[in-house]
Amino acid sequence: MIQAKNALFIFVTAAALLADARTVFSAVSVNGVDQGHAVGVRVPSSNAPITDIESDDLICNTNFIQPVSDAIISVVAGDTVTAQFHHTSAGYVGPDPSDPLDPTNKGPVLAYLASIPDATQSNVTGLEWFKIWEDGYDSVTHQWGSDHLFLNGGNASFAIPTCLASGNYLLRAESINLSSATSYPGAQFFMSCAQLSISGATAFISPATVSFPGAYTSTSPGIVTSIFGVSSYTPPGPDVFAC
Ligand SMILES: *[C@@H]1O[C@H](CO)[C@@H](O)[C@H](O)[C@H]1NC(C)=O
Ligand SMILES: *[C@@H]1O[C@H](CO)[C@@H](O)[C@H](O)[C@H]1NC(C)=O
Ligand SMILES: *[C@@H]1O[C@H](CO)[C@@H](O)[C@H](O)[C@H]1NC(C)=O
């Protein structure tokens, strides 16, 4: 009996390790062209989640792999940008059942931009963010954004709006694990920021903006929620900006 209990304990521990849903956004593609691992991306050295939505770490993560890239990725308004997520900070390192994240992870995937004087500056407080893309929950297929991220090998792709002023921007791409989010804290936030230079817009519209921290609260319905018996789900944060 004692042996059986030990065996059960080992099994449960192994299962818990396998369910490690952690993920890191560590590379960008532009129109399908890979810019390289950690090039123009501030990659956190740990794949641990941020759980405190009042922390400045919610902006772009923390404890970046050094030196942080000084590359700024050039994109043209309307280009398709892909944020590449993988299980660890190392990017894709070979077959891994939890790459790009453990498929039992359920939650939305989102992308934001903020104008910034210099995309390589370390200070990211006080930026004004707008959401350019989100993938929440499809009530017909019952798939979450995280399911699509898994099926797409970690690639979250979206278009850069065609009406933005030229200049430097940070791209904040985020995957949220809602598996134990029925109370706060509970939701787990995985994000990095990429350094972009955007040009080529043909029209100019100033997006409404939000701040981080601030855009998410401990009572936001998209953050305090159950993944079970979901009929519809609205991701946290503002509406997606459209030109
Ligand atoms: C998501 O969060 C749960 C609860 O903290 C955690 O056990 C798990 O590793 C994460 N992903 C899952 C359930 O795959
Ligand atoms: C960071 O930038 C914000 C906004 O421009 C500014 O208010 C703040 O003082 C800066 N912080 C540091 C440490 O420079
Ligand atoms: C994801 O993007 C990378 C880089 O552009 C590409 O090499 C890879 O084939 C893509 N994976 C899938 C499943 O589309």
Side-chain angles (χ1 to χ4, degrees), residues 22-26 41-53 55-66 68 85-89 121-125 127 129 170-176 188-194 212-213:
R22 296 169 167 196
T23 191
V24 180
F25 159 38
S26 64
V41 186
R42 304 167 183 210
V43 183
S45 47
S46 164
N47 64 2
I50 308 298
T51 56
D52 179 358
I53 56 174
S55 164
D56 281 350
D57 296 350
L58 191 75
I59 307 171
C60 286
N61 219 309
T62 188
N63 294 325
F64 304 115
I65 295 173
Q66 298 293 327
V68 173
F85 287 81
H86 287 291
H87 187 190
T88 73
S89 308
Q121 72 185 53
S122 56
N123 180 11
V124 295
T125 61
L127 298 177
W129 297 92
L170 286 185
L171 164 69
R172 177 183 181 279
E174 174 181 51
S175 173
I176 306 178
Q188 301 176 355
F189 302 86
F190 301 89
M191 84 299 296
S192 308
C193 289
F212 281 107

Short mmCIF file of all heavy atoms in Angstrom, two decimals, residues 22-26 41-53 55-66 68 85-89 121-125 127 129 170-176 188-194 212-213:
data_model
loop_
_atom_site.label_atom_id
_atom_site.label_comp_id
_atom_site.label_asym_id
_atom_site.label_seq_id
_atom_site.Cartn_x
_atom_site.Cartn_y
_atom_site.Cartn_z
N ARG A 22 4.37 26.86 -19.48
CA ARG A 22 5.09 28.11 -19.65
C ARG A 22 5.53 28.34 -21.08
O ARG A 22 5.80 27.39 -21.81
CB ARG A 22 6.28 28.11 -18.70
CG ARG A 22 5.80 28.07 -17.27
CD ARG A 22 6.89 27.81 -16.29
NE ARG A 22 6.42 28.10 -14.94
CZ ARG A 22 7.21 28.25 -13.90
NH1 ARG A 22 8.51 28.12 -14.03
NH2 ARG A 22 6.71 28.51 -12.73
N THR A 23 5.63 29.61 -21.47
CA THR A 23 5.98 29.93 -22.85
C THR A 23 6.64 31.30 -22.88
O THR A 23 6.40 32.13 -22.00
CB THR A 23 4.72 29.86 -23.75
OG1 THR A 23 5.11 29.92 -25.11
CG2 THR A 23 3.72 30.97 -23.44
N VAL A 24 7.51 31.50 -23.87
CA VAL A 24 8.25 32.75 -24.00
C VAL A 24 8.20 33.22 -25.45
O VAL A 24 8.52 32.46 -26.37
CB VAL A 24 9.74 32.58 -23.59
CG1 VAL A 24 10.49 33.90 -23.73
CG2 VAL A 24 9.86 32.07 -22.17
N PHE A 25 7.84 34.48 -25.67
CA PHE A 25 7.92 35.12 -26.99
C PHE A 25 9.35 35.60 -27.17
O PHE A 25 9.80 36.48 -26.44
CB PHE A 25 6.90 36.26 -27.04
CG PHE A 25 7.14 37.32 -28.07
CD1 PHE A 25 7.62 37.02 -29.33
CD2 PHE A 25 6.84 38.64 -27.77
CE1 PHE A 25 7.84 38.02 -30.28
CE2 PHE A 25 7.05 39.66 -28.70
CZ PHE A 25 7.55 39.34 -29.96
N SER A 26 10.09 35.01 -28.14
CA SER A 26 11.53 35.28 -28.23
C SER A 26 12.03 35.62 -29.63
O SER A 26 13.23 35.82 -29.81
CB SER A 26 12.32 34.08 -27.69
OG SER A 26 12.09 32.95 -28.51
N VAL A 41 14.23 41.55 -29.75
CA VAL A 41 13.24 41.15 -28.73
C VAL A 41 13.92 41.13 -27.37
O VAL A 41 15.05 40.63 -27.25
CB VAL A 41 12.63 39.76 -29.02
CG1 VAL A 41 11.50 39.45 -28.03
CG2 VAL A 41 12.12 39.67 -30.44
N ARG A 42 13.27 41.69 -26.37
CA ARG A 42 13.77 41.65 -24.99
C ARG A 42 13.28 40.34 -24.38
O ARG A 42 12.12 40.24 -23.96
CB ARG A 42 13.23 42.85 -24.22
CG ARG A 42 13.57 44.17 -24.89
CD ARG A 42 12.80 45.33 -24.33
NE ARG A 42 13.14 46.54 -25.07
CZ ARG A 42 13.13 47.78 -24.57
NH1 ARG A 42 12.75 47.97 -23.32
NH2 ARG A 42 13.47 48.80 -25.31
N VAL A 43 14.14 39.34 -24.34
CA VAL A 43 13.72 37.98 -23.97
C VAL A 43 13.98 37.74 -22.48
O VAL A 43 15.13 37.82 -22.04
CB VAL A 43 14.47 36.92 -24.79
CG1 VAL A 43 13.99 35.52 -24.45
CG2 VAL A 43 14.32 37.19 -26.29
N PRO A 44 12.93 37.45 -21.71
CA PRO A 44 13.15 37.15 -20.29
C PRO A 44 13.96 35.86 -20.15
O PRO A 44 13.80 34.93 -20.93
CB PRO A 44 11.74 36.98 -19.73
CG PRO A 44 10.90 36.64 -20.91
CD PRO A 44 11.52 37.33 -22.10
N SER A 45 14.86 35.81 -19.16
CA SER A 45 15.69 34.61 -19.01
C SER A 45 14.90 33.46 -18.38
O SER A 45 15.32 32.31 -18.48
CB SER A 45 16.93 34.93 -18.18
OG SER A 45 16.60 35.65 -17.03
N SER A 46 13.76 33.75 -17.78
CA SER A 46 12.93 32.70 -17.19
C SER A 46 11.59 32.64 -17.92
O SER A 46 11.08 33.67 -18.36
CB SER A 46 12.68 33.01 -15.71
OG SER A 46 11.60 32.23 -15.21
N ASN A 47 11.04 31.41 -18.00
CA ASN A 47 9.71 31.29 -18.59
C ASN A 47 8.61 31.30 -17.52
O ASN A 47 7.47 30.95 -17.78
CB ASN A 47 9.61 30.03 -19.47
CG ASN A 47 9.78 28.74 -18.67
OD1 ASN A 47 9.93 28.76 -17.46
ND2 ASN A 47 9.74 27.61 -19.38
N ALA A 48 8.96 31.75 -16.32
CA ALA A 48 7.96 31.86 -15.25
C ALA A 48 6.96 32.96 -15.57
O ALA A 48 7.31 33.97 -16.18
CB ALA A 48 8.66 32.16 -13.92
N PRO A 49 5.71 32.77 -15.18
CA PRO A 49 4.69 33.78 -15.48
C PRO A 49 4.80 35.01 -14.60
O PRO A 49 5.34 34.96 -13.49
CB PRO A 49 3.38 33.05 -15.19
CG PRO A 49 3.74 32.04 -14.15
CD PRO A 49 5.15 31.61 -14.47
N ILE A 50 4.28 36.12 -15.09
CA ILE A 50 3.99 37.28 -14.26
C ILE A 50 2.55 37.09 -13.77
O ILE A 50 1.66 36.78 -14.56
CB ILE A 50 4.11 38.60 -15.07
CG1 ILE A 50 5.44 38.69 -15.80
CG2 ILE A 50 3.86 39.81 -14.17
CD1 ILE A 50 6.66 38.71 -14.92
N THR A 51 2.34 37.26 -12.46
CA THR A 51 0.98 37.07 -11.92
C THR A 51 0.45 38.33 -11.24
O THR A 51 -0.74 38.40 -10.96
CB THR A 51 0.96 35.91 -10.90
OG1 THR A 51 1.93 36.17 -9.89
CG2 THR A 51 1.26 34.58 -11.58
N ASP A 52 1.33 39.31 -10.96
CA ASP A 52 0.93 40.55 -10.29
C ASP A 52 0.62 41.60 -11.35
O ASP A 52 1.53 42.14 -11.98
CB ASP A 52 2.06 41.03 -9.37
CG ASP A 52 1.73 42.33 -8.66
OD1 ASP A 52 0.64 42.90 -8.90
OD2 ASP A 52 2.57 42.77 -7.85
N ILE A 53 -0.68 41.88 -11.54
CA ILE A 53 -1.04 42.80 -12.63
C ILE A 53 -0.76 44.26 -12.28
O ILE A 53 -0.95 45.13 -13.12
CB ILE A 53 -2.52 42.64 -13.06
CG1 ILE A 53 -3.45 42.82 -11.87
CG2 ILE A 53 -2.75 41.34 -13.74
CD1 ILE A 53 -4.90 42.81 -12.27
N SER A 55 2.31 45.09 -11.19
CA SER A 55 3.76 45.18 -11.27
C SER A 55 4.20 45.77 -12.61
O SER A 55 3.60 45.48 -13.65
CB SER A 55 4.35 43.78 -11.10
OG SER A 55 5.69 43.76 -11.54
N ASP A 56 5.29 46.55 -12.60
CA ASP A 56 5.86 47.03 -13.86
C ASP A 56 6.36 45.86 -14.72
O ASP A 56 6.56 46.01 -15.92
CB ASP A 56 7.02 48.01 -13.59
CG ASP A 56 6.52 49.41 -13.24
OD1 ASP A 56 5.30 49.68 -13.37
OD2 ASP A 56 7.34 50.24 -12.81
N ASP A 57 6.57 44.69 -14.11
CA ASP A 57 7.00 43.52 -14.88
C ASP A 57 5.93 43.09 -15.88
O ASP A 57 6.22 42.34 -16.82
CB ASP A 57 7.32 42.34 -13.95
CG ASP A 57 8.50 42.62 -13.05
OD1 ASP A 57 9.19 43.64 -13.26
OD2 ASP A 57 8.73 41.83 -12.11
N LEU A 58 4.68 43.55 -15.68
CA LEU A 58 3.61 43.20 -16.61
C LEU A 58 3.77 43.94 -17.94
O LEU A 58 3.14 43.58 -18.92
CB LEU A 58 2.25 43.54 -16.00
CG LEU A 58 1.03 42.98 -16.73
CD1 LEU A 58 0.89 41.48 -16.48
CD2 LEU A 58 -0.25 43.70 -16.34
N ILE A 59 4.63 44.97 -17.97
CA ILE A 59 4.78 45.75 -19.20
C ILE A 59 5.50 44.89 -20.25
O ILE A 59 4.95 44.60 -21.31
CB ILE A 59 5.55 47.06 -18.95
CG1 ILE A 59 4.90 47.86 -17.80
CG2 ILE A 59 5.58 47.89 -20.23
CD1 ILE A 59 5.73 49.06 -17.34
N CYS A 60 6.73 44.52 -19.95
CA CYS A 60 7.57 43.83 -20.94
C CYS A 60 8.29 42.61 -20.35
O CYS A 60 9.21 42.09 -20.97
CB CYS A 60 8.62 44.77 -21.51
SG CYS A 60 7.99 45.99 -22.67
N ASN A 61 7.92 42.17 -19.12
CA ASN A 61 8.59 41.09 -18.42
C ASN A 61 9.85 41.65 -17.72
O ASN A 61 9.99 42.88 -17.58
CB ASN A 61 8.89 39.90 -19.34
CG ASN A 61 8.68 38.58 -18.63
OD1 ASN A 61 9.20 38.38 -17.54
ND2 ASN A 61 7.90 37.70 -19.24
N THR A 62 10.76 40.75 -17.30
CA THR A 62 11.88 41.18 -16.45
C THR A 62 13.04 40.20 -16.58
O THR A 62 12.91 39.15 -17.20
CB THR A 62 11.39 41.27 -14.97
OG1 THR A 62 12.41 41.86 -14.18
CG2 THR A 62 11.03 39.91 -14.43
N ASN A 63 14.19 40.56 -16.01
CA ASN A 63 15.38 39.69 -16.00
C ASN A 63 15.73 39.19 -17.40
O ASN A 63 15.76 37.98 -17.67
CB ASN A 63 15.19 38.50 -15.05
CG ASN A 63 15.11 38.94 -13.61
OD1 ASN A 63 15.78 39.90 -13.22
ND2 ASN A 63 14.28 38.28 -12.82
N PHE A 64 15.98 40.13 -18.30
CA PHE A 64 16.21 39.78 -19.70
C PHE A 64 17.56 39.11 -19.91
O PHE A 64 18.53 39.38 -19.19
CB PHE A 64 16.14 41.03 -20.57
CG PHE A 64 14.84 41.77 -20.40
CD1 PHE A 64 14.81 43.04 -19.85
CD2 PHE A 64 13.65 41.17 -20.76
CE1 PHE A 64 13.62 43.71 -19.68
CE2 PHE A 64 12.44 41.83 -20.58
CZ PHE A 64 12.42 43.10 -20.03
N ILE A 65 17.62 38.23 -20.91
CA ILE A 65 18.90 37.67 -21.34
C ILE A 65 19.78 38.84 -21.77
O ILE A 65 19.35 39.72 -22.51
CB ILE A 65 18.67 36.68 -22.51
CG1 ILE A 65 17.87 35.47 -22.04
CG2 ILE A 65 20.00 36.26 -23.13
CD1 ILE A 65 17.47 34.53 -23.16
N GLN A 66 21.02 38.83 -21.28
CA GLN A 66 21.96 39.93 -21.56
C GLN A 66 23.00 39.49 -22.60
O GLN A 66 23.42 38.34 -22.60
CB GLN A 66 22.65 40.36 -20.26
CG GLN A 66 21.70 40.90 -19.21
CD GLN A 66 21.04 42.20 -19.60
OE1 GLN A 66 21.64 43.02 -20.29
NE2 GLN A 66 19.79 42.40 -19.19
N VAL A 68 20.76 42.67 -23.97
CA VAL A 68 19.51 42.80 -24.72
C VAL A 68 19.85 43.27 -26.13
O VAL A 68 20.74 44.10 -26.32
CB VAL A 68 18.57 43.79 -24.01
CG1 VAL A 68 17.35 44.07 -24.86
CG2 VAL A 68 18.17 43.26 -22.64
N PHE A 85 6.46 32.16 -30.14
CA PHE A 85 6.52 31.69 -28.75
C PHE A 85 7.12 30.28 -28.72
O PHE A 85 6.83 29.46 -29.60
CB PHE A 85 5.12 31.61 -28.14
CG PHE A 85 4.48 32.94 -27.81
CD1 PHE A 85 3.85 33.69 -28.80
CD2 PHE A 85 4.48 33.43 -26.51
CE1 PHE A 85 3.24 34.91 -28.50
CE2 PHE A 85 3.87 34.64 -26.20
CZ PHE A 85 3.26 35.39 -27.19
N HIS A 86 7.93 30.01 -27.69
CA HIS A 86 8.41 28.65 -27.45
C HIS A 86 8.42 28.37 -25.95
O HIS A 86 8.27 29.29 -25.15
CB HIS A 86 9.78 28.43 -28.10
CG HIS A 86 9.67 28.31 -29.59
ND1 HIS A 86 9.08 27.23 -30.20
CD2 HIS A 86 10.03 29.16 -30.59
CE1 HIS A 86 9.10 27.41 -31.51
NE2 HIS A 86 9.67 28.57 -31.77
N HIS A 87 8.63 27.10 -25.62
CA HIS A 87 8.50 26.64 -24.23
C HIS A 87 9.45 27.35 -23.28
O HIS A 87 9.12 27.63 -22.14
CB HIS A 87 8.71 25.12 -24.19
CG HIS A 87 8.43 24.49 -22.86
ND1 HIS A 87 8.76 23.19 -22.57
CD2 HIS A 87 7.87 24.98 -21.74
CE1 HIS A 87 8.40 22.92 -21.33
NE2 HIS A 87 7.86 23.98 -20.80
N THR A 88 10.67 27.62 -23.78
CA THR A 88 11.66 28.27 -22.92
C THR A 88 12.27 29.48 -23.64
O THR A 88 12.02 29.68 -24.83
CB THR A 88 12.81 27.32 -22.51
OG1 THR A 88 13.66 27.12 -23.65
CG2 THR A 88 12.29 25.99 -22.00
N SER A 89 13.10 30.21 -22.92
CA SER A 89 13.77 31.39 -23.47
C SER A 89 14.71 31.05 -24.61
O SER A 89 15.13 31.94 -25.35
CB SER A 89 14.59 32.06 -22.37
OG SER A 89 13.80 32.30 -21.24
N GLN A 121 15.41 51.90 -25.77
CA GLN A 121 15.54 52.47 -24.41
C GLN A 121 15.00 51.47 -23.39
O GLN A 121 14.02 50.75 -23.64
CB GLN A 121 14.81 53.81 -24.31
CG GLN A 121 13.29 53.71 -24.32
CD GLN A 121 12.62 55.09 -24.35
OE1 GLN A 121 12.93 55.92 -25.19
NE2 GLN A 121 11.72 55.33 -23.42
N SER A 122 15.68 51.44 -22.23
CA SER A 122 15.27 50.44 -21.23
C SER A 122 14.01 50.88 -20.49
O SER A 122 13.23 50.03 -20.04
CB SER A 122 16.40 50.17 -20.25
OG SER A 122 16.81 51.38 -19.65
N ASN A 123 13.78 52.17 -20.37
CA ASN A 123 12.60 52.65 -19.63
C ASN A 123 11.33 52.41 -20.43
O ASN A 123 11.15 52.99 -21.51
CB ASN A 123 12.79 54.15 -19.34
CG ASN A 123 11.63 54.73 -18.57
OD1 ASN A 123 10.78 53.99 -18.06
ND2 ASN A 123 11.58 56.05 -18.47
N VAL A 124 10.45 51.59 -19.90
CA VAL A 124 9.20 51.30 -20.60
C VAL A 124 7.98 51.73 -19.78
O VAL A 124 6.85 51.39 -20.13
CB VAL A 124 9.08 49.80 -20.97
CG1 VAL A 124 10.15 49.42 -21.98
CG2 VAL A 124 9.14 48.91 -19.73
N THR A 125 8.21 52.49 -18.70
CA THR A 125 7.05 52.97 -17.94
C THR A 125 6.44 54.17 -18.64
O THR A 125 7.12 54.91 -19.36
CB THR A 125 7.45 53.34 -16.50
OG1 THR A 125 8.42 54.40 -16.54
CG2 THR A 125 8.02 52.15 -15.76
N LEU A 127 4.31 54.32 -21.06
CA LEU A 127 3.96 54.21 -22.48
C LEU A 127 2.44 54.09 -22.64
O LEU A 127 1.74 53.65 -21.73
CB LEU A 127 4.65 53.00 -23.11
CG LEU A 127 6.18 53.04 -23.10
CD1 LEU A 127 6.74 51.74 -23.68
CD2 LEU A 127 6.70 54.24 -23.86
N TRP A 129 -0.41 52.31 -24.68
CA TRP A 129 -0.56 51.07 -25.44
C TRP A 129 -1.92 50.99 -26.14
O TRP A 129 -2.92 51.45 -25.59
CB TRP A 129 -0.43 49.86 -24.52
CG TRP A 129 0.92 49.73 -23.88
CD1 TRP A 129 1.31 50.24 -22.67
CD2 TRP A 129 2.07 49.08 -24.43
NE1 TRP A 129 2.64 49.93 -22.44
CE2 TRP A 129 3.13 49.21 -23.49
CE3 TRP A 129 2.31 48.37 -25.62
CZ2 TRP A 129 4.39 48.68 -23.72
CZ3 TRP A 129 3.58 47.84 -25.83
CH2 TRP A 129 4.60 48.00 -24.89
N LEU A 170 7.13 49.71 -29.47
CA LEU A 170 7.33 48.40 -28.86
C LEU A 170 6.10 47.56 -29.16
O LEU A 170 4.97 48.05 -29.10
CB LEU A 170 7.50 48.50 -27.33
CG LEU A 170 8.83 49.03 -26.81
CD1 LEU A 170 8.85 48.95 -25.29
CD2 LEU A 170 10.03 48.29 -27.40
N LEU A 171 6.35 46.31 -29.52
CA LEU A 171 5.29 45.32 -29.70
C LEU A 171 5.27 44.45 -28.44
O LEU A 171 6.29 43.86 -28.09
CB LEU A 171 5.58 44.44 -30.92
CG LEU A 171 4.78 43.14 -31.03
CD1 LEU A 171 3.31 43.42 -31.29
CD2 LEU A 171 5.36 42.25 -32.13
N ARG A 172 4.13 44.40 -27.77
CA ARG A 172 3.97 43.58 -26.57
C ARG A 172 3.04 42.42 -26.93
O ARG A 172 1.84 42.63 -27.11
CB ARG A 172 3.37 44.41 -25.44
CG ARG A 172 3.09 43.65 -24.15
CD ARG A 172 2.43 44.58 -23.12
NE ARG A 172 2.17 43.90 -21.87
CZ ARG A 172 1.11 43.11 -21.64
NH1 ARG A 172 0.22 42.90 -22.60
NH2 ARG A 172 0.97 42.52 -20.47
N ALA A 173 3.60 41.21 -27.09
CA ALA A 173 2.78 40.04 -27.41
C ALA A 173 2.70 39.16 -26.17
O ALA A 173 3.69 38.96 -25.46
CB ALA A 173 3.38 39.26 -28.58
N GLU A 174 1.49 38.62 -25.93
CA GLU A 174 1.18 38.04 -24.61
C GLU A 174 0.30 36.80 -24.76
O GLU A 174 -0.67 36.80 -25.52
CB GLU A 174 0.44 39.12 -23.83
CG GLU A 174 -0.13 38.71 -22.49
CD GLU A 174 -0.86 39.87 -21.83
OE1 GLU A 174 -1.73 40.50 -22.48
OE2 GLU A 174 -0.57 40.16 -20.67
N SER A 175 0.64 35.78 -24.01
CA SER A 175 -0.21 34.59 -23.89
C SER A 175 -0.63 34.49 -22.42
O SER A 175 0.19 34.67 -21.52
CB SER A 175 0.62 33.36 -24.29
OG SER A 175 -0.10 32.18 -24.04
N ILE A 176 -1.92 34.27 -22.18
CA ILE A 176 -2.43 34.22 -20.80
C ILE A 176 -2.96 32.82 -20.52
O ILE A 176 -3.74 32.28 -21.29
CB ILE A 176 -3.54 35.27 -20.56
CG1 ILE A 176 -3.07 36.67 -20.96
CG2 ILE A 176 -3.99 35.25 -19.10
CD1 ILE A 176 -4.14 37.76 -20.81
N GLN A 188 -2.07 33.68 -15.37
CA GLN A 188 -0.62 33.75 -15.55
C GLN A 188 -0.33 34.43 -16.88
O GLN A 188 -0.84 34.01 -17.91
CB GLN A 188 -0.03 32.34 -15.52
CG GLN A 188 -0.33 31.60 -14.22
CD GLN A 188 0.16 30.16 -14.23
OE1 GLN A 188 0.65 29.67 -15.24
NE2 GLN A 188 0.03 29.50 -13.10
N PHE A 189 0.50 35.47 -16.84
CA PHE A 189 0.77 36.31 -18.01
C PHE A 189 2.19 36.04 -18.50
O PHE A 189 3.15 36.11 -17.73
CB PHE A 189 0.61 37.78 -17.65
CG PHE A 189 -0.77 38.11 -17.12
CD1 PHE A 189 -1.05 37.96 -15.76
CD2 PHE A 189 -1.78 38.54 -17.97
CE1 PHE A 189 -2.32 38.25 -15.26
CE2 PHE A 189 -3.05 38.82 -17.47
CZ PHE A 189 -3.32 38.68 -16.12
N PHE A 190 2.30 35.74 -19.81
CA PHE A 190 3.60 35.48 -20.44
C PHE A 190 3.75 36.48 -21.58
O PHE A 190 3.00 36.41 -22.56
CB PHE A 190 3.65 34.06 -21.00
CG PHE A 190 3.44 32.99 -19.95
CD1 PHE A 190 2.16 32.54 -19.65
CD2 PHE A 190 4.50 32.45 -19.26
CE1 PHE A 190 1.96 31.56 -18.67
CE2 PHE A 190 4.32 31.47 -18.29
CZ PHE A 190 3.04 31.03 -18.00
N MET A 191 4.68 37.42 -21.46
CA MET A 191 4.84 38.43 -22.51
C MET A 191 6.30 38.82 -22.67
O MET A 191 7.11 38.69 -21.76
CB MET A 191 3.99 39.67 -22.20
CG MET A 191 4.60 40.69 -21.28
SD MET A 191 4.97 40.08 -19.62
CE MET A 191 3.33 39.69 -19.02
N SER A 192 6.61 39.30 -23.89
CA SER A 192 7.89 39.97 -24.16
C SER A 192 7.57 41.17 -25.03
O SER A 192 6.46 41.28 -25.56
CB SER A 192 8.87 39.06 -24.91
OG SER A 192 9.03 37.83 -24.28
N CYS A 193 8.57 42.05 -25.17
CA CYS A 193 8.42 43.21 -26.05
C CYS A 193 9.46 43.15 -27.16
O CYS A 193 10.64 42.87 -26.91
CB CYS A 193 8.56 44.50 -25.27
SG CYS A 193 7.16 44.83 -24.17
N ALA A 194 9.01 43.44 -28.38
CA ALA A 194 9.89 43.53 -29.54
C ALA A 194 10.03 44.99 -29.95
O ALA A 194 9.11 45.79 -29.77
CB ALA A 194 9.35 42.70 -30.69
N PHE A 212 0.02 50.13 -19.03
CA PHE A 212 0.42 48.92 -18.28
C PHE A 212 1.43 49.34 -17.24
O PHE A 212 2.40 50.02 -17.60
CB PHE A 212 1.03 47.86 -19.20
CG PHE A 212 0.02 47.08 -19.97
CD1 PHE A 212 -0.16 47.28 -21.32
CD2 PHE A 212 -0.78 46.14 -19.33
CE1 PHE A 212 -1.10 46.57 -22.04
CE2 PHE A 212 -1.73 45.41 -20.04
CZ PHE A 212 -1.89 45.63 -21.39
N PRO A 213 1.27 48.99 -15.96
CA PRO A 213 0.05 48.34 -15.45
C PRO A 213 -1.12 49.31 -15.46
O PRO A 213 -0.92 50.51 -15.56
CB PRO A 213 0.43 47.93 -14.02
CG PRO A 213 1.62 48.76 -13.66
CD PRO A 213 2.29 49.19 -14.92
#
